[in-house]
Amino acid sequence: MTSAKQILHTSETRFRARYSETDKMGVIYYANYLVWMEMGRTDYCKSVGFDYRDMELDGANMAVAEATCRYITPARYDDEILVRTQVERLNRRLITFTYVVSNDQTGTVLAEGRTVHIAMGNDGKSRSIPQRYVQLMKAAALSS
Amino acid sequence: MTSAKQILHTSETRFRARYSETDKMGVIYYANYLVWMEMGRTDYCKSVGFDYRDMELDGANMAVAEATCRYITPARYDDEILVRTQVERLNRRLITFTYVVSNDQTGTVLAEGRTVHIAMGNDGKSRSIPQRYVQLMKAAALSS
Amino acid sequence: MTSAKQILHTSETRFRARYSETDKMGVIYYANYLVWMEMGRTDYCKSVGFDYRDMELDGANMAVAEATCRYITPARYDDEILVRTQVERLNRRLITFTYVVSNDQTGTVLAEGRTVHIAMGNDGKSRSIPQRYVQLMKAAALSS
Amino acid sequence: MTSAKQILHTSETRFRARYSETDKMGVIYYANYLVWMEMGRTDYCKSVGFDYRDMELDGANMAVAEATCRYITPARYDDEILVRTQVERLNRRLITFTYVVSNDQTGTVLAEGRTVHIAMGNDGKSRSIPQRYVQLMKAAALSS
């Protein structure tokens, strides 16, 4: 028996924490973790074979319906950050991503997050995700 | 009989959505709602009688342990925003704030959020919130 | 004899510096002054009788061609900020705004800036500013 | 004969433009170029042999006195960005950095910038840059 967690396709995003992302407490400001999650989503799409900007050009935007972040250890300026991104749930109208943000040098987990997205057309109305993108994401999940 | 919801002290924060806060989808980028919640916290502290920066000068920082936001209707550039902030739970080590973000002209609810904070000393270790601040927050809650 | 400086129409924008705008040096991060200048531009347009978002709906975007900021005294979290905005130069294709950012409680000048803007159509090509907006800005300048 | 421009040490910083950095015009918001310049500075310091955060730990902060940016071609979401950073002028109290921001795939120049920095102690007063850092920067300039 294999656990569901093990077989999920995971993308990895690496970068250094920016000075602009710090706050007067000396650590990374909490809203920036949502920016980092968005970078994780961009790379997740690339890792399964498409560019998110092409999906937008096809008239499908992934509007965020919900975002959650649990802050475990503060990140600091110039830390090497690793964001691991997975798709937890996927259908034609909705995608749920999960994220683990860690310090890439020490391995320390900094934060864990989840975002739920609903496909929206350029008119702001909900629509279904174009079949091509759903298939690429499902294929990646199965091949992992 | 009165409901618990009615008697909670609520602070109000008003401002206009900035151009810098928009993204290429034409709406306010999702991480900025966490910035708006932080503005709500700053004003909540003022509304009960103290400045959050004084609490930091007293060596007590309110580190964010968890943040959640549910996005309901997108905000747009130059919209008049109203953030209503309440304290849902409070003890010497932990505060939970809740927020309702709405369009102040139309009354439409844009987002709802919650943040959980833990008091930390300048050494990064957890500590208790100075009594003075706990009392001011409790007094406000009771007088509402 | 009156100086040119005295007769320029000036708009005023007031707000408090946000926690998110600070950095680990304990002061407001330098790029945020450009955000504050943009808020000054939004209010300048309102002060002469139009909303900048309407100008964009009319297909004219004011793309930034150049931005300069001289940092004089650091701003800090929760400081009351005042941005005074003027139009230094205006023709059908180009606008130059100047800004003085100060602490509204103490009067201390924090920064001085200038931005040069070129009108662009939605196709990204340069165009002229719709006559209506040029007239409103010129009328304000003359009546000051 | 060699030109002064050719022999200046240059550091290179590469990354992709973030969705969070776009605005409703569909391009990267102008203040973010100052963030990218700051990333250029961080990498410039590494390229000559030290971490800027160590310099701050040594009590010397490089406060920005002036920043200028000329915007040439708009950057867009997911563009591969290259920031080339040089030190134009350096003495014990002042450093001037210059930057060329370009699209790393097409080579198109997006923006050119300059920042002037003054060394400040943790007390907010001007001081001199520790000799060790000045020497590393001068050595890099000579060896280029």
Side-chain angles (χ1 to χ4, degrees):
Chain A
M1 204 188 95
T2 54
S3 88
K5 206 146 198 175
Q6 278 174 304
I7 61 162
L8 284 181
H9 174 71
T10 307
S11 69
E12 297 192 335
T13 304
R14 286 179 167 83
F15 54 92
R16 281 180 179 277
R18 301 174 173 185
Y19 202 98
S20 61
E21 294 173 327
T22 61
D23 66 22
K24 73 194 280 287
M25 222 190 283
V27 298
I28 300 303
Y29 183 69
Y30 84 129
N32 291 316
Y33 289 80
L34 273 66
V35 174
W36 295 356
M37 293 182 199
E38 165 241 302
M39 295 168 67
R41 289 197 294 280
T42 290
D43 285 344
Y44 187 91
C45 293
K46 284 188 202 298
S47 77
V48 307
F50 70 93
D51 284 343
Y52 176 64
R53 64 177 164 188
D54 291 336
M55 191 166 136
E56 285 200 341
L57 287 174
D58 282 349
N61 305 295
M62 297 306 301
V64 185
E66 203 176 311
T68 310
C69 190
R70 220 158 51 80
Y71 302 88
I72 298 161
T73 308
R76 291 173 192 279
Y77 164 58
D78 214 23
D79 281 354
E80 295 180 18
I81 306 297
L82 166 62
V83 181
R84 282 201 179 86
T85 307
Q86 295 185 326
V87 167
E88 193 183 68
R89 195 181 155 205
L90 168 67
N91 61 46
R92 297 271 339 235
R93 301 195 164 274
L94 190 144
I95 306 183
T96 301
F97 288 95
T98 59
Y99 315 84
V100 178
V101 181
S102 57
N103 182 312
D104 198 26
Q105 282 191 295
T106 64
T108 308
V109 174
L110 307 173
E112 292 175 344
R114 170 181 279 106
T115 56
V116 181
H117 303 257
I118 290 169
M120 300 243 291
N122 291 331
D123 55 1
K125 289 186 184 151
S126 89
R127 51 159 291 172
S128 56
I129 305 170
Q131 194 60 43
R132 163 171 137 70
Y133 303 108
V134 174
Q135 279 170 347
L136 282 166
M137 286 202 252
K138 289 204 166 160
L142 291 174
S143 66
S144 295
Chain B
M1 204 187 92
T2 54
S3 85
K5 203 142 198 177
Q6 280 176 304
I7 60 162
L8 284 181
H9 175 70
T10 307
S11 70
E12 297 193 334
T13 305
R14 286 179 169 84
F15 55 92
R16 282 181 180 273
R18 300 174 174 186
Y19 202 96
S20 61
E21 294 173 327
T22 61
D23 65 22
K24 71 192 282 286
M25 221 190 286
V27 299
I28 300 305
Y29 184 69
Y30 84 129
N32 290 317
Y33 289 81
L34 272 67
V35 174
W36 294 358
M37 294 182 199
E38 166 239 302
M39 295 168 66
R41 291 196 292 280
T42 291
D43 285 344
Y44 187 92
C45 293
K46 284 187 201 297
S47 77
V48 307
F50 70 92
D51 284 343
Y52 176 65
R53 62 177 167 191
D54 290 337
M55 191 166 138
E56 284 201 341
L57 287 174
D58 283 350
N61 306 296
M62 297 307 301
V64 185
E66 202 177 311
T68 310
C69 189
R70 219 157 51 81
Y71 302 88
I72 298 160
T73 308
R76 290 171 194 281
Y77 165 58
D78 214 24
D79 281 354
E80 294 179 19
I81 306 299
L82 166 62
V83 180
R84 283 201 179 86
T85 307
Q86 295 185 326
V87 167
E88 194 184 65
R89 194 179 155 208
L90 168 66
N91 61 46
R92 298 273 336 238
R93 300 195 165 273
L94 189 143
I95 306 183
T96 301
F97 288 94
T98 59
Y99 316 85
V100 178
V101 180
S102 56
N103 181 312
D104 198 26
Q105 280 190 298
T106 64
T108 308
V109 174
L110 306 173
E112 291 175 345
R114 168 182 280 105
T115 55
V116 181
H117 302 257
I118 291 168
M120 300 243 291
N122 291 332
D123 55 2
K125 290 185 185 151
S126 89
R127 53 160 289 172
S128 57
I129 305 170
Q131 194 60 45
R132 162 173 138 68
Y133 303 108
V134 174
Q135 280 170 345
L136 282 166
M137 287 202 253
K138 290 204 166 159
L142 291 173
S143 67
S144 295
Chain C
M1 206 188 92
T2 54
S3 85
K5 204 144 197 175
Q6 280 176 302
I7 61 163
L8 284 180
H9 174 71
T10 307
S11 70
E12 297 192 336
T13 305
R14 285 180 169 81
F15 55 92
R16 282 180 180 274
R18 301 173 174 185
Y19 202 97
S20 60
E21 294 174 327
T22 61
D23 65 22
K24 72 193 279 288
M25 221 190 287
V27 299
I28 300 304
Y29 183 71
Y30 84 129
N32 291 316
Y33 289 80
L34 273 66
V35 174
W36 294 358
M37 293 181 198
E38 165 239 302
M39 295 168 67
R41 290 196 294 281
T42 290
D43 284 345
Y44 187 92
C45 293
K46 284 188 202 297
S47 77
V48 306
F50 70 93
D51 284 343
Y52 176 65
R53 64 177 165 190
D54 291 337
M55 191 168 135
E56 284 200 342
L57 287 174
D58 283 350
N61 306 295
M62 296 307 301
V64 184
E66 204 176 309
T68 311
C69 189
R70 220 158 50 82
Y71 302 88
I72 299 160
T73 309
R76 290 171 194 281
Y77 164 59
D78 214 25
D79 281 354
E80 295 180 18
I81 306 298
L82 166 63
V83 181
R84 283 201 180 85
T85 307
Q86 294 185 326
V87 167
E88 193 184 65
R89 195 181 155 206
L90 167 68
N91 60 46
R92 298 273 335 237
R93 300 197 165 273
L94 190 142
I95 306 182
T96 301
F97 287 95
T98 59
Y99 315 84
V100 178
V101 181
S102 57
N103 182 311
D104 198 27
Q105 280 190 298
T106 64
T108 308
V109 174
L110 307 173
E112 291 174 344
R114 169 181 281 104
T115 55
V116 181
H117 302 257
I118 290 168
M120 298 244 290
N122 291 331
D123 55 1
K125 290 184 184 151
S126 88
R127 51 159 292 170
S128 56
I129 305 170
Q131 194 59 44
R132 162 172 139 70
Y133 302 108
V134 175
Q135 280 171 345
L136 283 166
M137 287 202 251
K138 290 203 165 159
L142 290 174
S143 67
S144 295
Chain D
M1 204 189 92
T2 54
S3 86
K5 205 145 199 177
Q6 279 175 302
I7 61 161
L8 284 180
H9 174 71
T10 307
S11 70
E12 298 192 335
T13 305
R14 286 178 168 84
F15 55 92
R16 283 181 179 273
R18 301 175 174 184
Y19 202 98
S20 61
E21 294 173 326
T22 62
D23 66 20
K24 73 192 280 287
M25 222 190 284
V27 299
I28 299 305
Y29 183 70
Y30 85 129
N32 291 317
Y33 289 81
L34 273 67
V35 174
W36 295 356
M37 294 182 199
E38 166 240 302
M39 295 168 66
R41 290 195 294 280
T42 290
D43 285 343
Y44 187 91
C45 294
K46 283 188 203 297
S47 76
V48 306
F50 70 92
D51 284 343
Y52 175 65
R53 62 178 166 190
D54 290 337
M55 191 167 136
E56 285 201 342
L57 287 174
D58 282 350
N61 306 295
M62 296 307 301
V64 185
E66 204 177 310
T68 310
C69 189
R70 220 159 50 81
Y71 302 88
I72 298 161
T73 308
R76 291 171 193 280
Y77 164 59
D78 213 24
D79 280 355
E80 294 180 19
I81 306 299
L82 167 62
V83 181
R84 283 201 180 84
T85 307
Q86 296 185 326
V87 167
E88 194 184 65
R89 196 182 154 205
L90 167 68
N91 61 46
R92 297 273 336 238
R93 300 196 165 274
L94 190 143
I95 306 183
T96 301
F97 288 95
T98 59
Y99 315 84
V100 178
V101 180
S102 58
N103 181 312
D104 198 26
Q105 282 191 296
T106 64
T108 308
V109 174
L110 307 173
E112 292 175 344
R114 170 181 279 104
T115 56
V116 181
H117 302 257
I118 291 167
M120 300 244 291
N122 291 331
D123 56 0
K125 288 184 185 153
S126 89
R127 53 160 288 173
S128 57
I129 306 170
Q131 195 59 45
R132 162 172 137 71
Y133 302 108
V134 174
Q135 280 169 344
L136 282 167
M137 287 202 250
K138 290 204 167 159
L142 291 175
S143 67
S144 296

